[in-house]
Structures are given as structure tokens and as C-alpha cells.
Amino acid sequence: MPNKAGDRGNTDRRDAVQRARLRRAGDLTPVSVPKVADEAMRDLTRAREEALRDLKAAKFRLTACVLRHDIRYTGSATWGPAHLRWLAAVVCPTPAPPIVFQEEVRAVHEHTERLGRLERARHDQVQSWRVSPVVAALQARRGVQFTVAVTTVAARGDRTRFDHPRPLMQCLGLIPSAYSRGARRRPGTMTNAGTTPARRAFVDGAWSARDPANVSRQLPRRLAPPPQAIQEISWKAQGRLCTRVRRLMARGQHANHVVVAMARALVGCMWAMATPVPVTP
């Protein structure tokens, strides 16, 4: 709350008067307090993000340990069954490096098991979550699978917070920053405000808009639960986003700028899909 410079008086009466004046002037920003179940799902989502980050770091350390001894994998795909069998058969030239190598391999397996446990726990908790119908409805959109849907719904919180998708875009930090002076207008990068996992999930889901509009083999299985109206919104948005991507790319826009614009459009699409879904209070 704004305070005057040099004002060191702090009494209950003065604080109450100041809050009343700010409330009347509209200078106070409302804060949404999440429900206990919603905050628990956020914690589970954050724990999965941390486990995934630790797993990537462990894989990077293991790869660096192997490359330091000029031992290279000649297969096509890494971290698959064939790659794991190759790692189990690696022989180091001296006695000391195998100790480090085995510890790094063990760390990769431990983080993989941890990530699997968190994903199973998250899937079980979503089944009894009060907004599980919204999670199921959002998966009707191409590029929005289970992880993206749960992350975005958990970050958004109460659906009554936003009566329009633009404040939600601002809350997620997907709108461009601006620096304007006089007649000069200079837009900048996105503001990066709000929750980082939710913003990353929207950007990851927006990359699917670069492909032509179609129905994949996995999408019909996710399209079964939502009603027909939500499926129509999903298909209409998919066509519009694909057309907009081609138009922006033809104008010479950078691919990263285009995908951020698609992420903003994806927020509006998911907001429209989640609005008509009934939710248990």
C-alpha cells in the first residue's frame, strides 16, 4: 500500500482510515486466496516440476561424465531401453571413474522413479478434484494434454477471478511490455509475470499450432468426455490459430514471437472452453 515519505505513525485507527480511503479510491488490488485442495494441487505440480528439473540435471551430469572419457553412444535415440543397456555395459579405463559413473547412473534412476511417483499421485488426486471436469474439457484442444491442463487450471485458481481472458493473459505474463514516449511506441518482450510453470505450459502447447489443423490419433480419445459445444470451440480455435501462424510467419516474424502470440490466443481458447463447464463449489 502507498505510504507518504517520512510518515512513521502506525496505529490501528490510522491504518483503518488509510485502508478505507484506498478502498474507496479503488487503489487496492484484490487478492484471491486459493482453496486448500487447489493449493495442494499447486504444490504437487511444483514438486513434479522440481523432479523433472533434477532429472534433466542428472542426465546432463551423466552424459558429461561419459564424454570426459571419450566414450560415445552410437545409437539413434538416447535415454531409451537401448541407451540404458549401453550405459549398464560401459567400462571405464581406470578404477576411480566407475564410482562416479555408477553414482550418476543411480541418481538418474532415482529421479526417474521420483518423477513417476509424483505423476501417479497427481493423476490420482485429479480424479477427486472439484475442477476435474475442467481438466477433462481442456484436453479436447490439440496441444493441451493432461500435464498442460492440470498446470494451467491449478495456476488459474478460482474461475470467477477473471470475467475476460485478457486479465488472465496479464496474470500469466504473456502480454508484451511497452515503453511509449509521446508519439513513439516501442513494444517489448512479454512481462514474465505470474506463474512460470503455467506460462511454460501454455508456450509448449502453442507449438502445436504450427502444424496444419487436423485430428490426430490420440485426440479422439480425449474428445470423448467433453460435450459437443466444447469440441466445436476446440476445432474452430485450431483452424484460426493455424491460419494466424502462417500469416505471421509469412510476414517474417520470429518463430519465438509467433509462439508467444499463439500462447496468448491459446489462453483465450482455453478460457472459452472452461467457462461453460460446471464445477463443484
Side-chain angles (χ1 to χ4, degrees):
M1 293 183 297
N3 294 318
K4 294 181 180 179
D7 187 3
R8 300 179 59 87
N10 185 11
T11 63
D12 293 344
R13 180 180 179 83
R14 295 188 63 181
D15 289 346
V17 172
Q18 182 186 20
R19 285 171 173 80
R21 290 174 177 173
L22 294 174
R23 180 69 178 87
R24 182 180 59 184
D27 292 338
L28 294 180
T29 303
V31 177
S32 176
V33 179
K35 297 182 180 295
V36 176
D38 298 344
E39 185 64 24
M41 189 58 63
R42 289 183 184 180
D43 292 338
L44 196 57
T45 303
R46 297 189 190 105
R48 181 192 173 277
E49 288 279 337
E50 294 173 357
L52 186 60
R53 192 182 306 114
D54 294 341
L55 176 59
K56 290 181 178 179
K59 288 181 177 180
F60 178 79
R61 290 194 301 267
L62 178 57
T63 303
C65 179
V66 174
L67 291 178
R68 280 198 301 269
H69 298 87
D70 200 20
I71 302 174
R72 303 179 183 275
Y73 178 62
T74 58
S76 58
T78 57
W79 305 113
H83 187 211
L84 295 178
R85 289 193 299 269
W86 176 81
L87 287 173
V90 169
V91 177
C92 296
T94 57
I99 301 175
V100 180
F101 176 76
Q102 293 300 330
E103 289 296 329
E104 297 295 346
V105 171
R106 188 178 296 109
V108 170
H109 288 298
E110 290 176 355
H111 288 306
T112 302
E113 294 175 357
R114 174 191 173 194
L115 181 61
R117 290 194 303 268
L118 289 173
E119 288 183 345
R120 289 191 296 271
R122 183 188 58 176
H123 191 276
D124 296 339
Q125 293 297 323
V126 168
Q127 302 302 323
S128 58
W129 197 16
R130 64 184 184 90
V131 292
S132 58
V134 179
V135 176
L138 293 181
Q139 295 182 65
R141 175 71 176 86
R142 189 183 69 170
V144 181
Q145 299 188 8
F146 183 76
T147 299
V148 178
V150 173
T151 304
T152 54
V153 173
R156 188 188 65 170
D158 190 3
R159 64 194 306 176
T160 59
R161 292 176 58 193
F162 309 103
D163 54 356
H164 194 271
R166 184 169 293 277
L168 180 58
M169 299 174 191
Q170 297 176 356
C171 181
L172 294 172
L174 289 172
I175 61 172
S177 58
Y179 180 82
S180 301
R181 288 290 185 180
R184 184 179 60 180
R185 181 177 180 272
R186 184 181 299 173
T189 60
M190 59 182 182
T191 58
N192 290 328
T195 308
T196 301
R199 182 169 57 254
R200 186 188 302 115
F202 275 109
V203 173
D204 291 343
W207 281 104
S208 62
R210 301 184 64 184
D211 300 328
N214 62 357
V215 179
S216 62
R217 290 180 296 177
Q218 294 81 11
L219 191 59
R221 283 180 282 181
R222 303 204 306 265
L223 284 173
Q228 185 65 27
I230 294 179
Q231 298 183 28
E232 293 176 356
I233 294 175
S234 173
W235 178 251
K236 181 179 178 181
Q238 185 179 158
R240 291 179 59 185
L241 264 63
C242 294
T243 303
R244 188 179 179 189
V245 165
R246 290 193 297 268
R247 185 170 64 249
L248 292 176
M249 295 297 289
R251 288 167 50 184
Q253 294 288 341
H254 194 276
N256 292 341
H257 298 169
V258 174
V259 77
V260 171
M262 293 304 101
R264 285 196 298 271
L266 184 60
V267 172
C269 169
M270 295 176 66
W271 181 86
M273 295 172 62
T275 300
V277 178
V279 175
T280 303

